[in-house]
Amino acid sequence: MMMTVQILFIIFAPFLFLGIINRIKAMWAGRKGSPLIQPLYDFLRLLRKGEVISKTTSIIFKIAPAVNLSSVIFAFLILPLPAIGAVISFDGDFILFAYALGLAKFLAIVASLDTGSSFEGMGASREVTFSTIVEPAFFILLGTLALLTGQTSFDAIFNLLNSSAGYTVLIKILFAVSLIIMILTEGSRVPVDDPNTHLELTMIHEVMILDYSGPDLAFIFYSSGLKLVLLSSLLAEFFIPSNSVFSLIIFIGIIFLTAALIGIIESLIARARMSHVPQFIFLMTALSLIAFAVVISFLRGGL
Amino acid sequence: MSYFLAGILLFFASGMITIFLRKDEWKSIIFLIGAIASQFLILPTLFSSLVFGNSFSTIIFFSEPIGASALRLDPLASVFALIITIGSLLASIYSFGYMKQYYRGKYSLSTFYFFFGLLISSMLLVVIAQNSFLFLIVWELMSLSSFFLVVFENDKEDVRKAGIYYLIAMQIGASFLIAAFAWLSNLSGSYDFASFKIILNTQNYIAVVLFSLFFIGFGTKAGFVPFHTWLPRAHPAAPTGVSSIMSGVMIKTGIYGILRIILLSGVPEIHLAYAVFLISFATGVAGILNAISQKDIKKFLAYSSIENIGIIGMGIGLGMLGAVYNIPLIEALGFLGAILHTINHFIFKSILFYGAGIVYQNTHTRNIEKLGGLIKFMPVTSMLFLIGSLAICGLPLFNGFVSEFAIYLGLAKGFSYTSVSLNIVMLIGFSGLALIGIMAMVGFTKLFGIAFLGTARESLHKKPEEGSSPLLLPMIVLAVFIFVIGISPLLIIQILYPVLKQFMNVDIESTLGSVLSLYSSLSGAFILFTGITLIIFLVRKYFLKNKKVKQFKTWDCGYQVESSRLQYTGSSYSLPFLELVAELVPQKTIVESQHDIFPNEAHLKTSQHDFAERFFVQPILKFVRKFLTMFAWIQSGKMQQYILYGLIFLLIILIWIFGAL
């Protein structure tokens, strides 16, 4: 029963996640806003449509959206979710987690270059540049987790992390903030990217998918929503008490809170100037390094 | 063992025979037959060594000063011999197709095949020679024969320059090896490798200095920063079959040398372990940073080889650290990662070089800024190149991930050990490997996306065509290897089992057992991933059934002018990233324009510098040159002076003889 709820939640969460962000932004602007499940309607509409495909493109353009979706789903199987647990769990599974998303990114970038459009080349170039900052920072975060718990799989790490108390609260907060920066970057949200703009020279992710339409666009749309939920679930993992009946409720609550937080951030601040974005993402590196330093000084009795 | 030696001889002989043949077609065919036949002689021995863990040895008696020399084929040597043999076979098949463009041309094919055969047989001898004298001879033979292959197109000035640069770099590296071997033989009183163990196992400064000499000597061959500067020069100059052998196989003999010395040294000195690890990390970062800034496909691939040597070195450093801190799991994972990545790098670097060769053959340019849209003309080559690119970025389902995973996991395991310095170095490696990986993605999305996708940026005089079957066959074989190792890594890890046993001395079975079970669960995860992907493809197909799919031009946001020149170029693609690291990849921009009332024709030239070369290698070379010019008066060009030298020499000899009397 709990398991079914969990699976159903993850399937529909991407739509709700985006719906909540939009609703919060609308409320903040004093508008009524679209229905909460508007993203679902959009998704279903796209699935019913046919496609227009550029003559310049090759098979890569067609396989990228499907691989994108499958890699996000696969990454979900590695996370130890409440009520399900981790479907795949072994030593070093977090490396596979990061690299599965990397495979999707590679194909998405190559697919956008496949169209030969200068706009999409620009988006790809920026996407990959910002990834070069996010990825090492994420690995510092993972390394800090391994240092803190002495474990090397998500399942074992979170089991140990959430049963211990004390100074880990500080670390968890540092992790949470750096993960939120990662969510904003990887999920292409303000201040890194603005998903609402079309045809502006500052956009990143939206411009990479300009040539997609119909079911393929629906796949991309869904997988980027699912990726947001995936990273928020990772964030939620830090705060779920292990072996609790409420863990599922807390999990769902945190995901929606993250969505609300993203909505609030988007309402409050504008997109950063392109040259300032790296500085913002480097904040994640800095926070992860601080977390590492704190952990090492606590565990090893000073540097 | 005698079959193995016969195989080596056959490689050499088939190159030799081509000298006596007149027709170029026959030369290629004979060499190919020789290469195939020697597989049957060599592979069974390697098989028995790797699967059953057998070692073979034989002693050959040379006249003094070499004396009795031992040739030993242990599992470590077998792994490298395997790479060399299979790599040579594939390169021979490829060259069979690739060298057709040189038939009846101005370059001699006999020279090519003779030195090719010599290179292969000397590489095979390098890994089995266990006598320092013999080792140095075959090592030099390897360097010399590859030099002649680099300068194959010897009427081009840049090729000759690259060749000379390569030769000098190799000699500098060899001089360190000669010094190290001479000292070591002097201390141990024997040339045999087995006698070095006692000296190298002592934990004093001599062992450290010796290891450093060996590391510099072998590192020059392998391409560790800052001894890497010859790679981006020599690789592009050579014909493609040779570049693939040099980059995929020959530089690995440097790795072999380092591993052999580690094997002889036992537990390494702690600072050496850290040094190897950090130098390798720097090598990885420097290699890929420079690769990203390249426009030349082959130079790009050469720099990416340096990056991969860095990753292999990180594995070696990790293994050494594991040995120092006595953590068998880390030791096993480190050496496993290093050796596995050596094999993997051979596979994907060869496929990429072969692809680059087909591109060059069809377009006569290596500059990616002039290419584009090749996937329309050569779909098979392009897809194989894409597979190679995905593999080299270390992405799951492809073989690169398997070896990087071992290194990653070894690093992660290091966090649970209570040494602050180890923890910090592990973090540098852990996030550094991620940085190298993501930078490889920047580089290879650029290389593949710009050269093969989009539309052609400049019109070519001839329509590019798909590569011929001898060119594609080795690539297809390698692509199969990529997937086999990528999805079921256990197959290859079981072969490496005896090699790891050589490196580990304690607690082997349980450690390796846990590594094996780890890889089987990884394999399961890959199969699940493939399954999910297939299901999603089916879902996509279902939704597209009976739907209208229209072909139209790329959405141009309302701009009506269609031009392939509007596309993003490689330079513009990598610019945002290179701006972030501008200090490490300094760019020189030269603008030539005449300022007038009306705009005139102008030229812009940008070039990126190799940081290590500019700030480390060049100052040293400058100093050496300055120092040596002080002696330039010796070679004055005046005949009288030279005769005087002769007289002085005779005089000294006379005095010496009379003095002795």
Side-chain angles (χ1 to χ4, degrees):
Chain A
M1 166 57 193
M2 293 278 271
M3 211 165 146
T4 331
V5 173
Q6 173 76 64
I7 293 169
L8 281 175
F9 170 72
I10 285 177
I11 290 171
F12 289 101
F15 307 116
L16 279 173
F17 198 92
L18 295 172
I20 289 174
I21 295 177
N22 288 337
R23 175 57 68 84
I24 297 260
K25 281 167 81 176
M27 277 160 62
W28 207 279
R31 289 182 282 117
K32 205 173 151 212
S34 52
L36 265 181
I37 48 167
Q38 181 62 39
L40 180 62
Y41 297 145
D42 293 345
F43 177 73
L44 293 175
R45 179 172 47 99
L46 282 171
L47 277 184
R48 282 197 303 271
K49 289 194 170 191
E51 287 196 357
V52 181
I53 289 180
S54 160
K55 277 179 285 193
T56 319
T57 58
S58 62
I59 181 166
I60 294 163
F61 185 78
K62 291 177 192 125
I63 59 176
V67 176
N68 210 332
L69 182 55
S70 80
S71 70
V72 179
I73 293 174
F74 179 68
F76 244 116
L77 300 182
I78 299 174
L79 273 189
L81 299 168
I84 302 179
V87 178
I88 306 166
S89 175
F90 54 88
D91 253 4
D93 55 6
F94 51 51
I95 300 157
L96 189 57
F97 178 86
Y99 268 69
L101 296 178
L103 179 64
K105 188 170 281 171
F106 188 106
L107 283 174
I109 287 166
V110 172
S112 70
L113 289 171
D114 200 8
T115 59
S117 147
S118 49
F119 289 95
E120 287 171 57
M122 194 186 296
S125 161
R126 285 169 180 166
E127 166 100 359
V128 81
T129 304
F130 298 148
S131 301
T132 56
I133 314 173
V134 176
E135 205 82 348
F138 184 56
F139 272 81
I140 295 175
L141 200 154
L142 292 177
T144 312
L145 280 176
L147 178 71
L148 183 62
T149 56
Q151 299 296 329
T152 46
S153 80
F154 268 146
D155 202 15
I157 285 174
F158 289 119
N159 261 332
L160 218 68
L161 190 67
N162 293 326
S163 55
S164 62
Y167 75 99
T168 50
V169 176
L170 173 67
I171 309 289
K172 281 179 181 176
I173 291 166
L174 283 171
F175 282 155
V177 178
S178 42
L179 269 178
I180 284 171
I181 296 172
M182 184 173 174
I183 293 170
L184 294 176
T185 315
E186 294 279 300
S188 40
R189 313 299 307 192
V190 175
V192 175
D193 189 7
D194 192 346
N196 285 334
T197 57
H198 268 287
L199 297 182
E200 278 191 36
L201 292 177
T202 46
M203 53 194 184
I204 306 168
H205 183 257
E206 283 299 309
V207 80
M208 284 172 69
I209 55 169
L210 266 184
D211 261 276
Y212 280 109
S213 52
D216 274 338
L217 185 60
F219 276 40
I220 291 176
F221 181 72
Y222 185 70
S223 44
S224 55
L226 195 61
K227 198 169 169 187
L228 280 170
V229 178
L230 174 76
L231 294 174
S232 323
S233 308
L234 184 59
L235 176 66
E237 295 289 348
F238 287 102
F239 302 101
I240 304 167
S242 46
N243 308 322
S244 161
V245 272
F246 302 112
S247 54
L248 186 58
I249 298 163
I250 295 173
F251 175 82
I252 293 172
I254 290 176
I255 286 182
F256 288 149
L257 265 179
T258 317
L261 186 67
I262 293 174
I264 292 169
I265 290 173
E266 296 211 341
S267 314
L268 285 179
I269 52 177
R271 183 187 50 225
R273 213 163 70 201
M274 205 43 85
S275 53
H276 286 179
V277 172
Q279 292 169 9
F280 173 72
I281 311 174
F282 269 125
L283 190 62
M284 180 184 171
T285 319
L287 289 172
S288 314
L289 276 176
I290 291 171
F292 181 77
V294 170
V295 171
I296 210 164
S297 53
F298 267 101
L299 279 183
R300 310 276 183 255
L303 285 165
Chain B
M1 190 71 185
S2 50
Y3 284 112
F4 187 83
L5 292 175
I8 296 177
L9 201 65
L10 187 57
F11 263 124
F12 176 68
S14 44
M16 184 87 169
I17 291 171
T18 59
I19 294 179
F20 306 106
L21 296 171
R22 195 170 294 158
K23 277 211 159 158
D24 282 344
E25 284 84 352
W26 277 105
K27 292 175 188 172
S28 291
I29 291 169
I30 292 289
F31 190 78
L32 183 61
I33 292 170
I36 293 168
S38 27
Q39 305 293 316
F40 293 105
L41 292 168
I42 293 177
L43 290 180
T45 319
L46 295 182
F47 183 75
S48 106
S49 169
L50 287 173
V51 175
F52 303 111
N54 294 332
S55 288
F56 300 89
S57 73
T58 180
I59 292 179
I60 295 184
F61 294 95
F62 292 100
S63 58
E64 287 301 323
I66 306 176
S69 309
L71 299 175
R72 293 195 196 96
L73 188 75
D74 57 353
L76 177 67
S78 304
V79 168
F80 285 87
L82 186 70
I83 297 174
I84 295 166
T85 319
I86 294 187
S88 306
L89 174 67
L90 295 176
S92 309
I93 299 171
Y94 188 84
S95 296
F96 177 73
Y98 190 77
M99 299 313 278
K100 268 185 190 144
Q101 54 185 317
Y102 295 104
Y103 281 0
R104 283 171 291 281
K106 53 186 167 180
Y107 308 117
S108 158
L109 243 66
S110 303
T111 328
F112 176 80
Y113 282 120
F114 174 73
F115 285 112
F116 202 13
L118 187 61
L119 173 64
I120 296 164
S121 38
S122 57
M123 281 193 297
L124 283 168
L125 283 170
V126 160
V127 295
I128 57 169
Q130 296 249 338
N131 172 298
S132 44
F133 224 109
L134 184 68
F135 182 87
L136 283 171
I137 289 171
V138 288
W139 183 265
E140 287 291 279
L141 264 182
M142 177 174 80
S143 298
L144 282 174
S145 50
S146 52
F147 160 75
F148 284 106
L149 291 170
V150 169
V151 295
F152 176 65
E153 297 184 351
N154 50 34
D155 59 336
K156 293 182 182 159
E157 206 202 331
D158 52 336
V159 169
R160 284 203 305 272
K161 257 188 175 166
I164 298 290
Y165 194 99
Y166 169 61
L167 190 64
I168 293 171
M170 285 305 100
Q171 292 317 308
I172 293 172
S175 65
F176 281 93
L177 290 183
I178 292 169
F181 275 122
W183 192 7
L184 203 45
S185 308
N186 201 6
L187 287 173
S188 69
S190 162
Y191 289 132
D192 197 69
F193 279 11
S195 68
F196 299 161
K197 259 191 175 163
I198 311 152
I199 314 281
L200 287 169
N201 266 311
T202 50
Q203 293 256 352
N204 60 14
Y205 78 97
I206 294 178
V208 174
V209 175
L210 278 172
F211 187 87
S212 312
L213 286 174
F214 277 122
F215 189 80
I216 295 172
F218 288 127
T220 312
K221 182 63 106 183
F224 279 99
V225 167
F227 317 108
H228 67 287
T229 45
W230 63 270
L231 269 124
R233 287 181 171 80
H235 287 299
T240 303
V242 177
S243 334
S244 81
I245 280 284
M246 283 176 73
S247 191
V249 180
M250 194 191 70
I251 60 171
K252 305 297 165 47
T253 55
I255 297 292
Y256 163 78
I258 292 169
L259 286 173
R260 174 65 67 198
I261 296 303
I262 290 172
L263 209 51
L264 291 172
S265 311
V267 178
E269 220 271 334
I270 179 162
H271 296 101
L272 282 178
Y274 278 115
V276 168
F277 188 82
L278 291 175
I279 289 172
S280 308
F281 167 64
T283 302
V285 173
I288 192 63
L289 271 179
N290 285 303
I292 292 171
S293 67
Q294 299 304 319
K295 298 183 184 83
D296 182 322
I297 295 189
K298 277 192 169 181
K299 257 192 182 168
F300 182 105
L301 293 177
Y303 269 118
S304 125
S305 293
I306 299 171
E307 171 226 332
N308 280 283
I309 288 292
I311 296 174
I312 294 168
M314 282 169 83
I316 296 175
L318 183 68
M320 289 168 82
L321 283 169
V324 166
Y325 286 98
N326 199 16
I327 320 168
L329 186 58
I330 294 184
E331 195 184 352
L333 285 170
F335 285 121
L336 173 70
I339 297 167
L340 197 52
H341 202 73
T342 307
I343 298 171
N344 285 342
H345 177 243
F346 149 66
I347 295 171
F348 46 64
K349 191 45 67 69
S350 301
I351 206 173
L352 290 170
F353 260 116
Y354 293 152
I358 295 177
V359 171
Y360 180 65
Q361 202 183 28
N362 277 288
T363 61
H364 297 284
T365 180
R366 296 196 306 255
N367 186 351
I368 58 167
E369 308 286 29
K370 293 184 178 170
L371 300 172
L374 290 176
I375 199 168
K376 308 275 185 326
F377 305 106
M378 36 176 87
V380 181
T381 312
S382 305
M383 285 318 279
L384 291 167
F385 199 91
L386 176 65
I387 291 169
S389 306
L390 287 162
I392 204 168
C393 290
L395 295 169
L397 302 185
F398 300 90
N399 65 348
F401 179 77
V402 176
S403 44
E404 284 187 26
F405 179 80
I407 302 175
Y408 267 123
L409 187 62
L411 291 164
K413 288 283 174 199
F415 289 120
S416 52
Y417 195 76
T418 55
S419 154
V420 176
S421 53
L422 185 70
N423 290 156
I424 289 175
V425 167
M426 291 293 119
L427 187 79
I428 292 173
F430 196 63
S431 57
L433 203 51
L435 180 67
I436 292 171
I438 190 81
M439 288 198 294
M441 199 194 277
V442 179
F444 280 92
T445 48
K446 169 185 166 176
L447 188 64
F448 182 74
I450 301 297
F452 290 90
L453 304 178
T455 51
R457 284 172 180 77
E458 272 182 27
S459 60
L460 302 161
H461 55 87
K462 195 174 118 267
K463 215 171 113 181
E465 287 164 9
E466 186 64 88
S468 58
S469 46
L471 299 181
L472 289 177
L473 179 70
M475 291 178 80
I476 292 167
V477 171
L478 290 165
V480 171
F481 285 164
I482 286 182
F483 283 115
V484 168
I485 299 179
I487 294 175
S488 91
L490 273 183
L491 286 176
I492 190 98
I493 289 169
Q494 268 158 354
I495 291 177
L496 298 181
Y497 205 88
V499 188
L500 285 178
K501 264 189 182 165
Q502 277 184 293
F503 282 95
M504 316 270 303
N505 24 31
V506 279
D507 192 26
I508 314 158
E509 299 300 331
S510 65
T511 310
L512 292 184
S514 62
V515 172
L516 288 186
S517 70
L518 183 69
Y519 272 98
S520 65
S521 47
L522 196 60
S523 217
F526 288 151
I527 289 162
L528 190 61
F529 190 10
T530 321
I532 294 171
T533 313
L534 287 179
I535 290 171
I536 288 177
F537 273 119
L538 289 179
V539 171
R540 178 182 181 271
K541 208 170 174 191
Y542 169 77
F543 278 114
L544 278 175
K545 209 169 61 184
N546 305 325
K547 296 265 175 66
K548 216 170 81 183
V549 176
K550 210 168 77 177
Q551 294 259 319
F552 200 67
K553 66 177 184 183
T554 297
W555 170 233
D556 50 11
C557 307
Y559 296 105
Q560 290 300 314
V561 191
E562 221 177 327
S563 166
S564 62
R565 295 198 57 184
L566 276 176
Q567 285 176 99
Y568 240 46
T569 60
S571 310
S572 44
Y573 179 76
S574 55
L575 185 72
F577 174 72
L578 289 176
E579 274 178 349
L580 277 183
V581 291
E583 281 77 22
L584 294 172
V585 194
Q587 180 176 293
K588 205 164 113 190
T589 312
I590 306 164
V591 185
E592 280 173 26
S593 68
Q594 282 143 0
H595 290 284
D596 222 339
I597 297 170
F598 295 107
N600 266 334
E601 193 179 287
H603 294 276
L604 174 86
K605 200 175 167 187
T606 57
S607 54
Q608 269 84 14
H609 294 285
D610 185 330
F611 185 82
E613 185 175 345
R614 188 159 175 205
F615 296 105
F616 185 81
V617 179
Q618 278 176 359
I620 290 179
L621 288 182
K622 217 175 186 174
F623 172 76
V624 170
R625 184 172 293 167
K626 217 169 162 185
F627 180 72
L628 290 179
T629 35
M630 283 166 36
F631 303 96
W633 55 269
I634 295 174
Q635 191 193 17
S636 64
K638 288 183 193 131
M639 186 55 80
Q640 291 93 328
Q641 203 178 328
Y642 294 163
I643 294 171
L644 187 67
Y645 294 156
L647 278 175
I648 292 171
F649 176 73
L650 285 175
L651 208 65
I652 292 170
I653 295 281
L654 274 175
I655 292 167
W656 187 36
I657 291 170
F658 281 116
L661 277 175

